[in-house]
Amino acid sequence: MAFEFGSVLSAAAISKASRFSGYPPFHFVGGNIDEPTVPVEALADAISKVIRDQGHAMAKYGMNSGPQGYLPLREFVCNCLQGRTGIAATPEEVLLTSGSLQAMDLVNRVLLDKGDVVLLEAANYSGALSRLDALGVDYAGIELDQDGMRMDALERVLSELAEAGRKPKYIYTIPTVQNPTGSVMPVERRREMLALAKAYDVPVFEDDCYADLVFSGERPPAIHALDDDQRVIYCGTFSKTIAPALRVGYLVAPWSLLSSVLPLKTDAGSGALEQMVLAEYLPEHFDDHVSGLLPMLTAKAAALCDALDEHFGESVEYDRPVGGIYLWVSLPENVDTDRLFQVALEQGVEINPGSQWTVDGTANKHRMRLCFGHPPIDNIREGIARLADICFEEFGVPVRSGNVARD
Amino acid sequence: MAFEFGSVLSAAAISKASRFSGYPPFHFVGGNIDEPTVPVEALADAISKVIRDQGHAMAKYGMNSGPQGYLPLREFVCNCLQGRTGIAATPEEVLLTSGSLQAMDLVNRVLLDKGDVVLLEAANYSGALSRLDALGVDYAGIELDQDGMRMDALERVLSELAEAGRKPKYIYTIPTVQNPTGSVMPVERRREMLALAKAYDVPVFEDDCYADLVFSGERPPAIHALDDDQRVIYCGTFSKTIAPALRVGYLVAPWSLLSSVLPLKTDAGSGALEQMVLAEYLPEHFDDHVSGLLPMLTAKAAALCDALDEHFGESVEYDRPVGGIYLWVSLPENVDTDRLFQVALEQGVEINPGSQWTVDGTANKHRMRLCFGHPPIDNIREGIARLADICFEEFGVPVRSGNVARD
């Protein structure tokens, strides 16, 4: 009797969600951040003030600022980027978005057609890969090392494409706290990337979502800041420093591109309330707030590494994080992390299997990404201990954990 | 020297925005609402309280509620709809969206492929039409009268399509304060629509964005409430009652459809702050707030009609609004409202030309939509006076305005 929607779904409607049932006890995924550090008191004060002062303007789509978003926040983004990244941008070159995911969607929408090709780091943010898949866009993964995307590999692929009469629509890079490997690309390599981009006449799409979370507080200039040709599109976010659920990101691009992006942003504006509260809160508080996060994240990263050392011992390899909220871990080759993901989830531990964070999934079948931004330290320790037991049960490694030998 | 983005744009990137330069002095477009009535003080109190209580959960995408949005707000939506529309829905059947525009986008994404056909009212929301155009979806406009979509016309088109072996993916209707004509579909006709939908096995997509703004406070039950077959998808919003810049709408659909929608909502959640503030503010204040809007809107509608009567006299025809924030006006046949739009905008008056609010643009070339929600009453009067002068200068009508004969 009920109408059968299943018989009229579009070609895009390929998956079905299950009902939300909360989070597993040990949740090493998702880019969530530390709950206690969300600055709720200061945000409450800020929002209370600014909504009384400015809130009537919410009666208009775009308030008094138009489609690029709340002007005071765009002004803050410009000032902030100048200081932190070296980028010199004007508010006209900033578009406030509903998270950096929307920035990525808009860049894709304005530049990509089915059959285009893009280049990106060989291990990458699963959300970037799934978007390219959904768009029918080809992509080639460029080899990484401990300093990020390798320029010899980039040059080789650009050259091969050129010989085949093709040119990538952009080079997508996460140069500062690469997702998932955590590397920070040195400045010399950034300049090499720009030189190659120029030689092959290709733009660069720089994603700096985690860049504020370098533990030392020191970071190279953004690729955008080193560029003289206006060929870099840049995106960032406040999701990882303030709170992901706010959904405030930004795209920085020349007006020549933004003017083509704006007609494609058909949502009648990103949320005004969060833009107003951040414009009020951030100028006074952002630097101190971020500085306050870094020791906490350093401690969580250390706790995760210590727990891995204790429970997995020689069975894992990783580079200690220098920033961000995740760790990229290599397990022995016989460990299939897709399988590990499944059995671990059944037992209350969620990890990111390497295959979903890789252009060529098979290369990272024995790797996993573990997010440490959200769980408290004791939960990290307990979760890794449990993961080691689960892994041993399934794959026979690790044999030793702490003082206990498994059999 | 600067990279030429113009040479690599996608096929979708067909328009360029101009730089935002604020609003013209007389701005009869856009669905904006009355600025003084945005309840900033009460919203400030609400947000202050709830962000202190709940704000730490913003550290997680989806907070503690998951991808369908903040559960307390979904619960409010269910209660509210039960009382105002007769809809009996559970929070599981509600998806909070970034405005009802996103609800529409998601319905389109889950159901429509290029080449599909949908049916909708012959005069319609320009945003709905532009979305269908962008998707390459066919659509047929069903004739309207003073009670909304005509069921004889609907039956005829359904039958013609069936004979051609085609079935529309949905019937899109704005039955309560139709946009742009302002009609309210009587309950008998709603039942007829459902009977036809059942006979032809087609779902209905009911858009109730303006339905809270019926001036008398009385409205027929939603089509969704009259349906026994779970064939109605319903969307609504708080944009027109609280504030458009908040971006909070909702989709109500059976879980069998929502479970297919959720994987397509790839934005990692709609904004949490606005969902929290509305969940705190609305239960106590929504009814009084909406009741408070109605006299103001009634007065603005009357001011607009009076101004049209005074300055356009016999040259216009319209039905007095019974709700909402816009008026659909017919001018003499020699008035081309696309041209009127252009000349008026140059002189500081912005209107919606009928061609953009119509499936078959030519049918409404002499009509216009005027939004009265945002401008103050004196601005409405002055703007209409100016529009009459502009119209006379361009088209020779109206000859008389007030006590003055033009020549």
Side-chain angles (χ1 to χ4, degrees):
Chain A
M1 173 117 131
F3 181 80
E4 276 292 330
F5 283 103
S7 64
V8 293
L9 297 178
S10 71
I14 51 180
S15 309
K16 274 196 162 332
S18 15
R19 288 170 170 79
F20 177 68
S21 56
Y23 303 98
F26 304 101
H27 192 228
F28 294 108
V29 304
N32 302 314
I33 67 172
D34 182 79
E35 292 203 22
T37 58
V38 178
V40 298
E41 290 294 329
L43 289 174
D45 290 339
I47 191 63
S48 194
K49 176 174 186 296
V50 75
I51 200 177
R52 286 183 165 96
D53 288 348
Q54 307 282 335
H56 289 293
M58 293 195 299
K60 299 191 291 283
Y61 288 95
M63 295 178 67
N64 293 319
S65 294
Q68 286 178 243
Y70 193 55
L71 180 58
L73 183 57
R74 285 188 276 140
E75 289 168 341
F76 172 79
V77 168
C78 291
N79 293 339
C80 181
L81 289 180
Q82 177 72 72
R84 288 175 171 268
T85 73
I87 291 173
T90 64
E92 186 182 82
E93 295 165 323
V94 176
L95 170 61
L96 298 175
T97 54
S98 305
S100 61
L101 278 178
Q102 191 187 36
M104 182 180 295
D105 283 335
L106 289 167
V107 170
N108 285 348
R109 188 145 172 74
V110 78
L111 293 181
L112 301 181
D113 286 305
K114 214 170 143 81
D116 279 340
V117 60
V118 306
L119 305 184
L120 69 174
E121 284 124 14
N124 220 299
Y125 168 47
S126 62
L129 301 175
S130 61
R131 279 165 167 71
L132 296 171
D133 288 335
L135 291 169
V137 168
D138 293 336
Y139 47 94
I142 310 299
E143 201 185 323
L144 290 153
D145 62 21
Q146 71 283 355
D147 288 337
M149 188 192 288
R150 290 181 62 98
M151 292 300 108
D152 52 359
L154 177 62
E155 181 160 29
R156 189 183 69 246
V157 174
L158 284 166
S159 166
E160 284 167 3
L161 285 171
E163 274 167 46
R166 295 185 85 189
K167 191 158 78 167
K169 273 299 179 77
Y170 59 68
I171 300 163
Y172 173 64
T173 179
I174 310 170
T176 307
V177 193
Q178 203 274 335
N179 190 359
T181 63
S183 62
V184 177
M185 185 186 290
V187 64
E188 303 77 21
R189 197 178 284 199
R190 294 167 188 241
R191 294 192 195 280
E192 284 184 63
M193 180 187 281
L194 281 171
L196 285 170
K198 183 167 187 155
Y200 287 88
D201 192 34
V202 180
V204 173
F205 178 21
E206 178 179 19
D207 182 344
D208 239 13
C209 284
Y210 295 95
D212 292 320
L213 300 182
V214 174
F215 298 157
S216 68
E218 291 168 20
R219 59 204 262 195
I223 298 172
H224 187 293
L226 300 169
D227 169 41
D228 292 325
D229 294 339
Q230 294 199 301
R231 74 175 60 250
V232 181
I233 307 163
Y234 179 94
C235 77
T237 182
F238 296 107
S239 286
K240 313 303 182 185
T241 47
I242 309 299
L246 280 180
R247 319 307 299 117
V248 183
Y250 45 90
L251 185 64
V252 182
W255 174 250
S256 64
L257 183 64
L258 276 192
S259 54
S260 293
V261 169
L262 285 172
L264 302 175
K265 191 179 190 287
T266 55
D267 59 6
S270 294
L273 210 60
E274 46 269 52
Q275 292 182 15
M276 288 198 296
V277 70
L278 290 185
E280 184 69 26
Y281 167 82
L282 294 174
E284 198 179 326
H285 297 285
F286 187 57
D287 286 346
D288 286 345
H289 176 72
V290 173
S291 301
L293 296 176
L294 304 178
M296 176 272 295
L297 288 172
T298 306
K300 286 197 182 191
L304 176 59
C305 294
D306 292 349
L308 285 167
D309 291 346
E310 178 178 350
H311 295 289
F312 282 83
E314 303 286 302
S315 296
V316 290
E317 280 180 15
Y318 60 82
D319 291 324
R320 291 190 84 91
V322 296
I325 57 171
Y326 37 76
L327 179 66
W328 187 233
V329 180
S330 301
L331 289 146
E333 300 254 351
N334 67 309
V335 176
D336 176 340
T337 49
D338 287 314
R339 175 71 187 149
L340 179 61
F341 163 77
Q342 283 171 347
V343 296
L345 188 61
E346 286 160 16
Q347 299 184 57
V349 182
E350 191 170 358
I351 65 170
N352 284 129
S355 66
Q356 290 177 14
W357 294 80
T358 320
V359 171
D360 168 17
T362 62
N364 290 318
K365 278 185 64 58
H366 61 295
R367 293 191 170 97
M368 61 183 175
R369 188 186 85 142
L370 300 172
C371 294
F372 56 82
H374 183 257
I377 282 178
D378 53 357
N379 180 278
I380 291 174
R381 290 188 184 129
E382 202 182 327
I384 296 302
R386 188 182 290 202
L387 183 64
D389 286 346
I390 294 164
C391 192
F392 173 76
E393 199 172 298
E394 188 67 22
F395 299 103
V397 291
V399 175
R400 290 200 66 84
S401 258
N403 288 323
V404 178
R406 297 184 177 85
D407 50 26
Chain B
M1 174 117 133
F3 181 80
E4 276 293 330
F5 283 103
S7 64
V8 292
L9 297 178
S10 70
I14 51 181
S15 310
K16 273 195 163 329
S18 16
R19 287 169 170 81
F20 177 69
S21 55
Y23 303 98
F26 304 101
H27 192 228
F28 293 108
V29 305
N32 304 311
I33 66 172
D34 182 79
E35 292 203 21
T37 57
V38 177
V40 297
E41 290 293 330
L43 288 174
D45 290 338
I47 190 63
S48 194
K49 176 176 186 296
V50 76
I51 199 177
R52 287 184 165 96
D53 287 348
Q54 306 283 334
H56 289 292
M58 293 195 298
K60 297 190 291 285
Y61 288 94
M63 297 180 63
N64 293 318
S65 294
Q68 287 179 242
Y70 193 54
L71 181 57
L73 183 57
R74 286 188 276 139
E75 290 167 340
F76 172 79
V77 166
C78 291
N79 294 340
C80 182
L81 289 179
Q82 177 72 72
R84 290 175 169 266
T85 73
I87 291 174
T90 64
E92 188 183 78
E93 296 165 324
V94 176
L95 169 61
L96 298 174
T97 54
S98 305
S100 61
L101 279 177
Q102 191 187 36
M104 183 180 293
D105 284 334
L106 289 167
V107 169
N108 286 347
R109 187 147 172 74
V110 79
L111 292 181
L112 301 181
D113 287 304
K114 213 171 143 83
D116 280 341
V117 61
V118 306
L119 305 184
L120 68 173
E121 285 123 13
N124 219 299
Y125 167 47
S126 61
L129 301 175
S130 61
R131 278 164 167 73
L132 295 172
D133 289 334
L135 291 169
V137 169
D138 293 336
Y139 48 95
I142 311 298
E143 202 185 320
L144 290 153
D145 63 22
Q146 71 283 356
D147 288 335
M149 188 192 288
R150 291 182 62 99
M151 292 301 108
D152 52 359
L154 176 62
E155 180 159 30
R156 189 183 68 246
V157 174
L158 283 165
S159 166
E160 285 167 2
L161 285 170
E163 275 166 43
R166 296 185 83 190
K167 190 159 77 166
K169 274 297 179 80
Y170 59 68
I171 301 163
Y172 173 64
T173 178
I174 309 170
T176 307
V177 193
Q178 203 274 334
N179 190 359
T181 63
S183 61
V184 177
M185 185 185 289
V187 65
E188 303 78 19
R189 196 177 282 201
R190 295 169 187 239
R191 294 191 196 283
E192 284 184 63
M193 180 187 282
L194 281 170
L196 285 169
K198 184 168 186 153
Y200 287 87
D201 192 34
V202 179
V204 173
F205 178 22
E206 177 177 21
D207 182 343
D208 239 14
C209 285
Y210 296 93
D212 292 319
L213 300 182
V214 175
F215 298 156
S216 68
E218 291 167 20
R219 61 205 261 194
I223 299 171
H224 187 294
L226 300 169
D227 169 41
D228 292 322
D229 294 339
Q230 293 199 303
R231 75 175 58 251
V232 180
I233 307 163
Y234 180 95
C235 78
T237 182
F238 295 107
S239 287
K240 313 304 182 184
T241 47
I242 308 299
L246 280 181
R247 317 308 301 117
V248 183
Y250 46 89
L251 185 64
V252 182
W255 174 251
S256 64
L257 183 62
L258 275 193
S259 54
S260 293
V261 169
L262 284 173
L264 302 174
K265 190 179 191 290
T266 55
D267 59 5
S270 295
L273 209 59
E274 46 268 53
Q275 294 183 15
M276 289 198 294
V277 71
L278 290 184
E280 184 68 27
Y281 167 82
L282 294 173
E284 198 178 326
H285 297 285
F286 188 57
D287 286 346
D288 287 345
H289 176 74
V290 173
S291 300
L293 296 176
L294 304 179
M296 177 272 295
L297 288 172
T298 306
K300 287 196 180 190
L304 176 60
C305 294
D306 292 349
L308 286 166
D309 292 346
E310 178 178 351
H311 294 289
F312 281 84
E314 303 285 303
S315 297
V316 289
E317 282 181 13
Y318 60 82
D319 292 324
R320 293 189 82 91
V322 297
I325 57 172
Y326 39 74
L327 180 65
W328 186 233
V329 181
S330 301
L331 290 145
E333 300 252 352
N334 68 307
V335 175
D336 177 339
T337 48
D338 287 313
R339 176 73 187 148
L340 179 61
F341 162 77
Q342 282 172 345
V343 297
L345 189 60
E346 287 159 15
Q347 299 184 59
V349 182
E350 192 170 357
I351 64 170
N352 284 129
S355 65
Q356 290 178 14
W357 293 80
T358 320
V359 171
D360 169 17
T362 62
N364 290 318
K365 277 183 66 56
H366 63 296
R367 294 192 170 94
M368 62 183 173
R369 189 187 84 141
L370 299 174
C371 294
F372 57 82
H374 182 256
I377 282 178
D378 54 356
N379 181 278
I380 291 173
R381 291 190 183 125
E382 201 181 328
I384 295 303
R386 188 181 287 201
L387 183 64
D389 287 344
I390 294 164
C391 193
F392 174 75
E393 198 173 299
E394 188 69 21
F395 298 103
V397 291
V399 174
R400 289 199 68 82
S401 256
N403 289 321
V404 179
R406 298 185 177 85
D407 48 27

